[in-house]
Amino acid sequence: MGITYYEKERLFKLDTLASTYMCAVVDEENFLGHVYFGPRLEDHDAVYLTRTGEAPFVPSSNNRERLAFYDTFPMELPTHGLGDNRDDALAVRSALGHTAVKLGVVSHEIYKGKKGLKGLPATFGKEDECTTLEITMTDETLKMDVILSYTVFEKVDAITRSLKVINNSSDDIVLTRVMSACLDMDNEDFDLLTLHGSWARERHINRRPLTRGFQGLSSIKGECSHQEHPFMAIMEKGADEDRGEVFGMSFVYSGNFLASCYVNQFDSVRALMGINPEDFNWLLESGEEFIAPEVIMVHSSEGLGGMSRSFHDLIRNNLIRSPYKDRKRPILINNWEATYFDFDTDKLLGIVDQASKLGIEMLVMDDGWFGHRDFDDSSLGDWYVYEDKIKGGLKYLVDEVNKRGMKFGIWFEPEMISPDSDLYRAHPDWAIQIPGRVPGQARAQYVLDLTRPEVVDNVYGQVKAILESANIEYVKWDMNRPLSDMGSASLPPERMGEMFHRYMLGVYELQERLITDFPNLLLENCSGGGGRFDPGMLYYSPQIWCSDDTDAIERLLIQEGTALIYPLSSMGAHVSDCPNHAVGRVTPFKTRGYVALAGTFGYELDVTKIPEEDRNMIPDQVKMYHAYNDLVRMGDYYRVASYSQNNEYDCYMVVSKDRSEALVTFVQVLNRVNFHSRKIRLKGLDPAKKYFVTYVDDNKETSGKKGGERVYSGEMLMKAGLLIPRPWGDFQGMLISLKAQ
Ligand code: GLA
């Protein structure tokens, strides 16, 4: 049983295999206090940790110091306006204009399995996979209930949390702040680790000491964004990849978010995560309920690596739903970097003729096939085929691709509308805008008002018609600008503050309809590269395009940050041409292949134009993909060395769950003279197993011999290390395979 209620102590104990989370009902006023989150405990006698035995005591016995209580007590769901001056999780505007909320626990329920969150992405699990606790709290003055739900995924060491607010009064209430998770802890000299970036430089790891006062990150762009990421990890100062305590929080949501830490006068940390309260007001009419998206919480005693592996397992097993989640994805070739907008049927078929011979399995026709789109300044919203380019029509093209033995995929940007489009000419008010102001364009486009059901219906109808018109097996769903000028022609003024969240609900509905009607479709999300790579989108698509930066060296850092949370199976990664279109760097074709193998794998180049030497390497890369993708997709990820820290080389590995097989990727970014081989301590192997070590590329067995007498034990490889010969030149990669005897 992952969740136990101890009647005497009024304490809830949530256990995973390696961690424990506890909260308790305290005082006659039934406050819900946070007790503990950390390594697994067998004992539960822990209410003393809430410090209710110390001054200023609890309110029912000492109302004189009620405010001091509010400002120190570790609250499970801190509320606004009563004296807790740390940031809070819940605030309202009542019918009388008041903002305070006070919650007391009234009941709870524990059950096997997990319920879904209506209209929202969320983790799921069968009855033998997870247990749920629902704690109902009430504000007697507002007549408002809150149901706080926790689900324990015991085997993967993850706990999720979300909440529902129900207005039981006869008056309307406006929710002004609903944060999904709160973690009150003593600051044990913690560091805060977050992911930051920009377009083409997404999710770089950023670590800093947690300091007094407020610190955090947020997005107000209507997507999680390239710049910030809905994730944070609070870590022991000495914690590293393998050791030390880490508390990871990840938000299953794709819109505006806030993730913050506040360190107060008593050196306590309050970590909060939820929908960004900026530009958020939700009118909750009498009898209505509001569901806040969930947060995944992971405690690891094995540093960041342990945290990553928990997130990977949970996301793979209990968040991604696509039938592709357990399948090898077709190796695709995407024409974006190959042609940009300059393509037609013949050019695409030329690429397919070559690609099919090399073992590539799917053509993805990117931006530019619809309306009259020859550049980025028209036709979004007009999802009908541009016959001048796609001569003979879409069905003809798809059939021809199929005839050549390849599948066909297509690009859409369904959330957008170009000012130069038939859709805009017919429905200018469907673009998000504020009357009387000139709405800002980005990439010459506006955003469709997906808070309106008729807009959702229209755009979905167009996408559906295209998908039904030919044998299309993959969709790349793009989103190339943030939201601004928030105004909807259909929302009344009192609901305008709901627009950002309603927009996200519209996006989720669109994608839900798509995967329901086309259950075998492989959906890949994308947003100007990796601007919307988040757990929310993974509920709909098993993979997301990681970044528009396809340079192998830049990708090392982008993929490292992404793999901190997300399984390699979800990272869209392709081999592209050089000089790279984002940085102009020239890297060996082989290295580009190794780095892309850590993701979904594919090509983003004109295979008819690349040097013959590179083209000739493709069949071997294809072979490697088929040989190692099962391992990469399903194995445990270990980071061995980070180029971001050592400025010289990068190394990571994937180990099969039964530890019989592993794949090490090593990339020497900058070479140095006069150094001998590099010793690398491997991770995650079975110390008792013996492994053959093979350099995959030339299939040379270097350190051991198959069937021979000399192989290395897992113990030796992990404690003493593997000697990696120094490659000649910069940007050189190596792939090393380990197979247990
Ligand atoms: C975004 C994507 C690219 C490509 C272009 C097309 O930038 O990230 O891969 O699809 O849009 O406009």
Side-chain angles (χ1 to χ4, degrees):
M1 186 65 160
I3 302 178
T4 315
Y5 177 62
Y6 292 90
E7 186 83 50
K8 189 166 135 257
E9 294 85 356
R10 300 206 288 166
L11 178 135
F12 302 98
K13 183 163 183 278
L14 288 63
D15 292 311
T16 72
L17 284 180
S19 62
T20 291
Y21 187 103
M22 285 189 276
C23 53
V25 186
V26 166
D27 189 48
E28 284 165 26
E29 295 183 36
N30 300 326
F31 298 102
L32 186 64
H34 179 72
V35 176
Y36 174 84
F37 189 28
R40 178 161 172 143
L41 288 170
E42 298 313 318
D43 192 1
H44 69 273
D45 188 9
V47 179
Y48 74 95
L49 291 168
T50 59
R51 296 195 170 93
T52 44
E54 296 173 22
F57 314 108
V58 289
S60 58
S61 59
N62 182 13
N63 194 38
R64 185 181 181 280
E65 298 301 347
R66 181 178 283 266
L67 261 61
F69 164 81
Y70 275 125
D71 215 17
T72 54
F73 185 69
M75 287 282 186
E76 200 59 26
L77 186 70
T79 56
H80 187 74
L82 298 173
D84 186 342
N85 298 314
R86 300 162 285 181
D87 286 328
D88 50 71
L90 192 60
V92 300
R93 200 168 54 247
S94 72
L96 296 174
H98 302 132
T99 56
V101 181
K102 177 175 184 284
L103 294 172
V105 173
V106 286
S107 63
H108 74 268
E109 191 191 348
I110 297 173
Y111 57 88
K112 292 273 178 203
K114 183 175 192 288
K115 293 179 192 156
L117 302 184
K118 197 163 170 276
L120 286 170
T123 55
F124 52 85
K126 297 199 204 82
E127 293 196 351
D128 59 352
E129 276 177 304
C130 57
T131 312
T132 298
L133 162 68
E134 289 185 359
I135 302 175
T136 301
M137 296 186 269
T138 200
D139 181 316
E140 285 167 2
T141 308
L142 291 171
K143 307 236 172 318
M144 184 180 89
D145 281 353
V146 172
I147 301 176
L148 191 54
S149 305
Y150 300 82
T151 298
V152 175
F153 292 87
E154 241 180 300
K155 290 195 197 108
V156 297
D157 289 317
I159 297 172
T160 62
R161 171 180 154 151
S162 66
L163 59 107
K164 190 194 281 187
V165 185
I166 306 157
N167 180 4
N168 292 318
S169 83
S170 47
D171 294 322
D172 294 347
I173 295 174
V174 177
L175 303 175
T176 56
R177 186 176 171 97
V178 187
M179 303 299 283
S180 298
C182 173
L183 209 48
D184 271 357
M185 301 187 284
D186 286 2
N187 178 16
E188 298 177 45
D189 200 14
F190 287 135
D191 280 349
L192 177 65
L193 185 144
T194 54
L195 299 172
H196 289 256
S198 70
W199 170 76
R201 186 167 44 80
E202 295 89 341
R203 292 175 296 286
H204 279 215
I205 293 173
N206 187 56
R207 183 172 177 168
R208 59 191 140 151
L210 205 57
T211 56
R212 291 234 161 85
F214 179 86
Q215 52 243 273
L217 53 148
S218 64
S219 166
I220 191 70
K221 301 176 83 176
E223 60 174 345
C224 67
S225 87
H226 299 84
Q227 289 74 17
E228 309 289 355
H229 201 70
F231 162 82
M232 61 182 169
I234 295 170
M235 317 171 57
E236 268 186 307
K237 182 94 18 256
D240 60 18
E241 197 54 36
D242 307 301
R243 283 164 295 265
E245 281 195 65
V246 179
F247 303 85
M249 295 169 84
S250 164
F251 195 27
V252 187
Y253 188 62
S254 316
N256 292 347
F257 72 91
L258 171 68
S260 68
C261 283
Y262 180 70
V263 181
N264 76 351
Q265 56 187 331
F266 304 110
D267 216 17
S268 301
V269 191
R270 170 166 290 170
L272 287 168
M273 187 171 269
I275 293 179
N276 194 342
E278 209 178 317
D279 266 350
F280 171 83
N281 281 288
W282 193 274
L283 175 63
L284 203 63
E285 289 180 10
S286 170
E288 283 184 346
E289 58 183 42
F290 178 83
I291 302 171
E294 75 179 3
V295 168
I296 305 168
M297 299 183 292
V298 168
H299 171 270
S300 158
S301 300
E302 290 175 18
L304 285 170
M307 178 200 74
S308 298
R309 287 185 288 281
S310 282
F311 275 120
H312 290 191
D313 283 342
L314 183 79
I315 290 171
R316 273 188 297 216
N317 304 331
N318 304 99
L319 181 64
I320 297 176
R321 295 176 295 171
S322 164
Y324 273 96
K325 73 175 181 172
D326 299 321
R327 281 197 234 149
K328 219 181 333 163
R329 321 284 155 77
I331 299 175
L332 65 82
I333 184 159
N334 178 303
N335 74 308
W336 178 241
E337 286 187 38
T339 66
Y340 298 104
F341 295 101
D342 181 19
F343 64 89
D344 60 13
T345 300
D346 292 342
K347 207 183 229 182
L348 293 178
L349 289 179
I351 291 175
V352 169
D353 282 335
Q354 277 280 356
S356 58
K357 288 189 202 120
L358 298 167
I360 297 172
E361 298 160 316
M362 178 162 75
L363 171 76
V364 174
M365 179 170 68
D366 210 279
D367 192 356
W369 59 266
F370 51 92
H372 61 277
R373 188 143 162 117
D374 289 313
F375 193 53
D376 64 9
D377 55 0
S378 86
S379 306
L380 295 166
D382 295 348
W383 300 108
Y384 45 79
V385 178
Y386 188 3
E387 302 270 351
D388 291 355
K389 273 179 163 179
I390 311 303
K391 297 183 191 84
L394 186 58
K395 181 154 174 22
Y396 169 76
L397 172 62
V398 178
D399 287 347
E400 287 302 309
V401 172
N402 288 167
K403 269 189 217 158
R404 289 160 171 81
M406 281 173 59
K407 296 175 189 293
F408 185 87
I410 199 166
W411 179 97
F412 283 103
E413 200 180 348
E415 299 161 62
M416 298 295 153
I417 179 165
S418 301
D420 176 9
S421 67
D422 292 345
L423 192 70
Y424 186 77
R425 283 181 281 274
H427 301 284
D429 61 312
W430 283 13
I432 291 177
Q433 62 198 287
I434 299 170
R437 293 185 194 277
V438 178
Q441 295 180 14
R443 211 192 189 209
Q445 64 201 53
Y446 297 132
V447 185
L448 275 172
D449 182 359
L450 297 180
T451 69
R452 297 171 70 167
E454 68 274 29
V455 179
V456 169
D457 282 348
N458 177 293
V459 70
Y460 181 65
Q462 292 196 57
V463 170
K464 187 166 185 255
I466 288 289
L467 295 183
E468 282 170 348
S469 72
N471 183 27
I472 299 172
E473 299 180 69
Y474 161 108
V475 163
K476 176 175 172 188
W477 181 301
D478 212 336
M479 192 255 188
N480 275 323
R481 63 153 285 177
L483 275 60
S484 68
D485 302 272
M486 295 307 280
S488 166
S490 76
L491 285 175
E494 65 277 15
R495 287 203 179 270
M496 210 59 85
E498 300 172 12
M499 205 177 160
F500 271 117
H501 184 57
R502 285 188 182 276
Y503 177 84
M504 266 335 300
L505 296 178
V507 173
Y508 291 146
E509 189 197 322
L510 269 173
Q511 298 214 347
E512 187 70 43
R513 285 167 78 169
L514 182 67
I515 59 172
T516 306
D517 288 347
F518 302 93
N520 294 317
L521 186 77
L522 173 56
L523 181 62
E524 175 157 355
N525 268 293
C526 173
S527 172
R532 204 165 58 183
F533 199 128
D534 61 62
M537 299 317 285
L538 287 174
Y539 187 63
Y540 303 92
S541 66
Q543 60 196 59
I544 301 176
W545 183 230
C546 230
S547 177
D548 277 346
D549 194 337
T550 48
D551 171 68
I553 303 306
E554 292 287 303
R555 274 291 182 124
L556 292 175
L557 302 188
I558 296 169
Q559 292 181 191
E560 175 187 5
T562 307
L564 198 64
I565 314 164
Y566 307 103
L568 306 189
S569 62
S570 67
M571 299 197 309
H574 299 164
V575 176
S576 66
D577 200 6
C578 279
N580 178 269
H581 84 150
V583 285
R585 184 179 287 130
V586 177
T587 53
F589 199 75
K590 273 186 183 173
T591 305
R592 285 176 254 159
Y594 297 149
V595 175
L597 278 176
T600 54
F601 196 72
Y603 292 88
E604 188 99 10
L605 41 73
D606 187 343
V607 77
T608 65
K609 291 202 178 132
I610 57 170
E612 200 174 340
E613 202 190 326
D614 290 355
R615 190 165 43 242
N616 291 341
M617 284 186 225
I618 292 179
D620 275 345
Q621 291 182 335
V622 165
K623 247 188 253 160
M624 276 185 229
Y625 170 77
H626 288 302
Y628 297 110
N629 184 258
D630 281 354
L631 173 60
V632 168
R633 229 177 46 247
M634 300 187 288
D636 286 335
Y637 168 83
Y638 290 85
R639 175 147 291 277
V640 180
S642 168
Y643 162 57
S644 66
Q645 281 163 20
N646 62 35
N647 282 321
E648 239 183 274
Y649 67 100
D650 208 73
C651 185
Y652 49 86
M653 56 189 291
V654 185
V655 184
S656 63
K657 290 276 176 195
D658 66 0
R659 298 196 275 177
S660 66
E661 214 191 324
L663 188 69
V664 181
T665 308
F666 176 89
V667 178
Q668 175 162 284
V669 179
L670 292 178
N671 202 6
R672 296 168 72 184
V673 289
N674 204 12
F675 276 85
H676 50 47
S677 59
R678 189 181 294 284
K679 192 172 73 182
I680 295 236
R681 289 189 195 169
L682 302 186
K683 298 180 182 179
L685 303 174
D686 181 343
K689 282 195 165 90
K690 304 270 191 190
Y691 293 90
F692 295 111
V693 179
T694 308
Y695 283 77
V696 171
D697 207 14
D698 41 23
N699 244 356
K700 227 188 280 155
E701 290 153 26
T702 48
S703 310
K705 289 198 189 110
K706 222 170 255 169
E709 63 291 10
R710 188 133 187 270
V711 291
Y712 289 92
S713 68
E715 182 197 28
M716 196 61 77
L717 291 169
M718 290 193 293
K719 289 187 181 161
L722 174 71
L723 295 179
I724 299 199
R726 201 161 279 273
W728 179 244
D730 295 339
F731 316 133
Q732 302 294 324
M734 272 184 221
L735 211 58
I736 303 154
S737 149
L738 279 80
K739 290 231 162 76
Q741 231 175 355

